[in-house]
Amino acid sequence: MSFSANHNSFPKPISVQTDRMDEIDQLGSSFNWMIQQLEDSRKREYEEELLRHRLIANLSHDLRTPLTILRGHINRLNKESISLEGQNSLTEMNLTITRVGDLMDDLLSYTLLTSGKHPFYPTSTDIVRLVRASVAAWYPAFEEKEIQFDVDLPTEVTFYWEADPKWMTRVLDNLFQNILRHAAEGKYTNIVVDVEKELIIVADRGPGMDNSSYEGGSGIGLSTSNYMLKKMKLKADFTSNENGTRVAIGRAQPKVKPEVNSMITEM
């Protein structure tokens, strides 16, 4: 049993002398029955998880056809002579279709992540450079919404995390996307990279995460981001109230300073 605990596996059944079945053999028989039940349970869990992942993948694929048809009808109606109120309704319908498509993408990505099928290539990553590239990519979208983009990025210093650059970019994309969707009314976004503390800080002046719109529309994306961060041994700390939301991304375990590490070694 100690071997199994150390190697994350079930113990192998033990031999039982059925011709005598004394107390020890009865205990062994019960032990073997317990092992079989655990193995059956693990097999069922694996099969159910596999079925759930396949169902989500198929559902995400199958829903795209009706969404495409709906969008086609909306485009056709946009060419017709209808009232301003009707035009506004069509615009909202088009935005909703886009949102549903994004949610399906998030759900599929989360399913692939949790099943270990999403490529993960951690490497020593220049965090300041990565954040700068992400900010540059999102700047036009924030400018279109007339959101002030307050950025504080070092120019001569940086730090490195052992992270997957694509995953880190996806995490930032999710944060920026949530600001556009749920905090645009605050008209302000602050992005800071603290090299000394090794933190990425993203803040807004929206209504906060307690707002029902925020909670209802960002759950899958945040779950995906948190999963990615955990895999990269990072974490995101959220602080939110009616004045805005602040997210600080840093190491899951604080980096030990050299002098502290030296003291631990000496002890």
Side-chain angles (χ1 to χ4, degrees):
M1 292 183 69
S2 298
F3 175 85
S4 299
N6 293 332
H7 292 78
N8 193 29
S9 62
F10 292 130
K12 293 182 178 181
I14 60 176
S15 59
V16 175
Q17 297 185 19
T18 56
D19 56 337
R20 66 179 190 185
M21 288 299 289
D22 57 16
E23 290 86 351
I24 298 299
D25 290 307
Q26 290 176 10
L27 177 61
S29 179
S30 298
F31 182 73
N32 291 343
W33 178 85
M34 179 187 67
I35 294 172
Q36 186 61 49
Q37 293 299 307
L38 290 172
E39 289 179 342
D40 290 345
S41 177
R42 175 182 283 182
K43 183 179 179 181
R44 285 195 302 271
E45 182 181 358
Y46 173 77
E47 291 175 347
E48 290 171 359
E49 186 72 14
L50 191 63
L51 179 63
R52 183 162 54 251
H53 288 166
R54 187 181 296 116
L55 177 63
I56 292 174
N58 291 338
L59 183 63
S60 298
H61 180 269
D62 293 341
L63 284 175
R64 295 192 182 281
T65 298
L67 288 178
T68 302
I69 294 173
L70 284 173
R71 195 184 294 276
H73 284 292
I74 290 174
N75 292 334
R76 182 179 299 174
L77 287 173
N78 277 324
K79 298 176 182 179
E80 301 292 331
S81 178
I82 58 176
S83 65
L84 179 60
E85 184 177 352
Q87 286 285 352
N88 292 335
S89 295
L90 289 176
T91 300
E92 288 300 320
M93 290 171 62
N94 201 26
L95 290 174
T96 301
I97 290 174
T98 300
R99 178 63 181 139
V100 172
D102 292 341
L103 285 173
M104 289 192 304
D105 288 339
D106 289 341
L107 182 59
L108 183 58
S109 294
Y110 184 74
T111 302
L112 291 174
L113 277 171
T114 54
S115 61
K117 294 182 179 179
H118 203 292
F120 177 53
Y121 302 114
T123 186
S124 183
T125 303
D126 186 329
I127 298 303
V128 173
R129 182 177 181 181
L130 184 142
V131 173
R132 182 178 289 111
S134 185
V135 167
W138 279 89
Y139 183 81
F142 280 81
E143 188 177 39
E144 182 181 356
K145 293 287 186 178
E146 298 181 348
I147 299 175
Q148 180 184 344
F149 223 32
D150 186 8
V151 181
D152 183 6
L153 302 179
T155 56
E156 298 181 357
V157 292
T158 188
F159 62 93
Y160 293 82
W161 282 340
E162 192 70 17
D164 187 316
K166 290 184 178 180
W167 283 29
M168 279 302 306
T169 300
R170 176 70 181 273
V171 170
L172 293 175
D173 286 348
N174 179 260
L175 293 178
F176 294 155
Q177 190 175 65
N178 281 336
I179 291 174
L180 287 175
R181 288 175 178 170
H182 311 291
E185 63 190 73
K187 300 296 182 182
Y188 178 82
T189 302
N190 180 223
I191 298 101
V192 177
V193 174
D194 189 326
V195 174
E196 183 178 352
K197 296 180 180 179
E198 294 195 4
L199 288 175
I200 302 172
I201 301 170
V202 179
D204 63 62
R205 293 177 183 169
M209 295 182 69
D210 289 337
N211 181 280
S212 58
S213 171
Y214 198 104
E215 285 188 337
S218 59
I220 299 177
L222 288 178
S223 296
T224 301
S225 295
N226 286 332
Y227 185 92
M228 287 180 164
L229 290 172
K230 185 177 180 180
K231 185 77 173 180
M232 294 184 289
K233 299 181 180 179
L234 303 171
K235 66 175 181 176
D237 292 324
F238 289 81
T239 305
S240 186
N241 54 39
E242 67 276 6
N243 297 318
T245 300
R246 178 183 183 273
V247 186
I249 300 174
R251 294 179 183 270
Q253 295 294 335
K255 190 176 182 180
V256 180
K257 294 183 178 180
E259 59 268 21
V260 176
N261 190 47
S262 177
M263 291 173 59
I264 294 175
T265 304
E266 291 176 3
M267 293 174 61

